[in-house]
Amino acid sequence: MSPPRRIPDPPFVSAEVARFDQPWAMTFLPDGRLLVTEKPGHLRLINVATRQTGEILGVPTVAYGGQGGLGDVILHPQYASNGLVYLSYAEEGTGGRGAAVARARLQLDASGNGGTLQNLQVIWRQTPKVSGDAHYSHRLLFDREGKLWVSSGERQKGSPAQDLQSNLGKILRLNDDGTPAAGNPFAAQGGRAAQVWSYGHRNVLGLALDATGRLWAHEMGPAGGDELNLIERGSNYGWPIVSNGDNYDGSPIPDHPTRPEFNAPEISWTPVIAPAGFVIYSGELFPYFQNYGFIGGLASQALVQVEMGESPREYRRYPMGRRIREVEQGPDGALWVLEDGADARLLKLTPNRL
């Protein structure tokens, strides 16, 4: 019988690799270099080995302000052959602002320090455009079947989350060209409803697949009631009719148990953690982290470890001393963390050797 595995405490050490201006998301290229979005509208390319940082040109014009600007960045599943990169961002339009998703071919410079986006095409937009500059959500994820998942916030308007003729307050399942994917639950209604997989969401800032292919999402509650949800086909998650938090003005919102017809969160946080960024760990570098979720905490200024499975729970919270915007798993199994705001650090987390 082998001895029990000893887990170091703390389990990781962090090293600063670079600094960015209001970073929002990151994704690794196959060669190990890293793309990082900055909310004011810049897409950076960093060689994490040499720490050289360049810029990718051709990013669409963003509506910067509040929570708006350049958002997520991911690669097409066949990036190695087609070079396609997907970006989400806030844009101006008739009636106000809204999120958009574009794809383009990434052409890297011969120098290796920069590049350009070519043949950029907008493939999806939040509709309708509305006033304000909050709750865009616009997290992106490709699943194992090559379908594109988009989180679409309710833009701090509440009621559109329950309206299937609006794509606000929804999680959407699309083909890689932005068209509605076959098999979506409301396809028969056509229009925007055909994009929808689940609804009744507030502000979803994290999407992740577990080892069995199930989709998980976290979203910010109002005053209390941050949520981790297992995303199920056609399900209504209740916002703004129910929440385990209250309105900012102190007025109550009925809790989830009062309306069992709505899908209740697997975990609810009050006080809030203000979740942003999400990965379910699958690497070998941290064997004791496998199948645990890691969520960046903004208000909580922490990395929040979640035990997944049939009864998820917060397992541990690691204070980071700064608001955490994004967390990703690197090619070698390291965890990578982006702080929020100006002069924000990119941190590489590796095992604390005993």
Side-chain angles (χ1 to χ4, degrees):
M1 183 175 178
S2 60
R5 182 176 59 202
R6 185 179 173 194
I7 299 175
D9 188 13
F12 57 76
V13 293
S14 66
E16 178 181 335
V17 177
R19 297 200 180 206
F20 296 94
D21 178 27
Q22 301 171 65
W24 207 91
M26 57 181 158
T27 196
F28 281 91
L29 295 175
D31 64 8
R33 285 181 291 177
L34 187 64
L35 293 173
V36 178
T37 61
E38 293 178 325
K39 202 168 72 169
H42 300 286
L43 179 59
R44 305 294 185 185
L45 175 67
I46 176 170
N47 184 324
V48 297
T50 65
R51 304 193 179 190
Q52 283 186 297
T53 301
E55 184 167 7
I56 305 298
L57 304 177
V59 174
T61 300
V62 305
Y64 171 67
Q67 295 175 14
L70 187 58
D72 213 350
V73 57
I74 61 171
L75 306 183
H76 189 280
Q78 280 78 53
Y79 171 84
S81 59
N82 63 27
L84 290 178
V85 173
Y86 287 67
L87 297 169
S88 68
Y89 58 99
E91 64 172 4
E92 299 282 359
T94 302
R97 294 178 171 183
V101 175
R103 67 177 181 178
R105 184 174 179 273
L106 175 59
Q107 181 64 53
L108 296 172
D109 293 342
S111 67
N113 293 327
T116 58
L117 297 178
Q118 300 179 343
N119 303 318
L120 186 132
Q121 173 192 16
V122 179
I123 63 168
W124 176 84
R125 286 185 160 99
Q126 276 184 331
T127 49
K129 296 283 194 300
V130 296
S131 62
D133 55 15
H135 294 191
Y136 296 97
S137 293
H138 59 33
R139 279 287 180 189
L140 308 176
L141 175 74
F142 274 107
D143 66 18
R144 298 170 181 175
E145 286 72 47
K147 301 306 180 187
L148 175 64
W149 296 82
V150 180
S151 72
S152 177
E154 41 76 274
R155 297 286 281 107
Q156 226 167 20
K157 304 300 180 185
S159 58
Q162 293 294 322
D163 179 6
L164 288 174
Q165 299 311 307
S166 162
N167 61 19
L168 307 182
K170 314 295 192 298
I171 290 178
L172 312 172
R173 178 174 169 268
L174 310 174
N175 297 313
D176 65 354
D177 62 358
T179 56
N184 284 350
F186 308 106
Q189 297 187 31
R192 298 162 189 163
Q195 305 172 5
V196 175
W197 186 260
S198 63
Y199 63 112
H201 297 288
R202 187 173 182 266
N203 189 24
V204 175
L205 290 173
L207 297 171
L209 295 169
D210 67 17
T212 67
R214 295 184 300 176
L215 180 66
W216 297 81
H218 63 61
E219 62 184 271
M220 290 192 173
D226 287 348
E227 297 181 2
L228 176 68
N229 289 299
L230 176 61
I231 302 304
E232 298 175 304
R233 183 181 187 273
S235 197
N236 184 345
Y237 289 79
W239 180 258
I241 301 169
V242 291
S243 172
N244 291 345
D246 293 326
N247 291 308
Y248 292 126
D249 64 7
S251 59
I253 303 171
D255 288 345
H256 273 274
T258 68
R259 297 290 296 271
E261 69 270 30
F262 296 124
N263 198 322
E266 305 300 316
I267 303 176
S268 179
W269 284 275
T270 301
V272 299
I273 60 171
F278 187 22
V279 66
I280 298 175
Y281 188 78
S282 61
E284 301 292 335
L285 191 62
F286 291 98
Y288 40 83
F289 282 169
Q290 286 184 0
N291 300 316
Y292 282 87
F294 288 88
I295 298 172
L298 293 168
S300 52
Q301 297 190 6
L303 186 62
V304 179
Q305 183 179 0
V306 173
E307 187 174 40
M308 306 299 292
E310 297 308 313
S311 299
R313 66 183 181 96
E314 179 177 333
Y315 181 79
R316 188 168 174 182
R317 193 175 299 195
Y318 305 98
M320 301 297 289
R322 287 280 299 268
R323 290 162 55 88
I324 301 303
R325 171 57 64 180
E326 168 75 315
V327 55
E328 286 287 347
Q329 180 179 316
D332 65 352
L335 284 170
W336 293 76
V337 169
L338 278 170
E339 296 174 341
D340 190 47
D343 198 31
R345 295 179 300 169
L346 170 66
L347 301 173
K348 182 180 183 180
L349 309 185
T350 53
N352 184 8
R353 303 300 182 187
L354 291 169

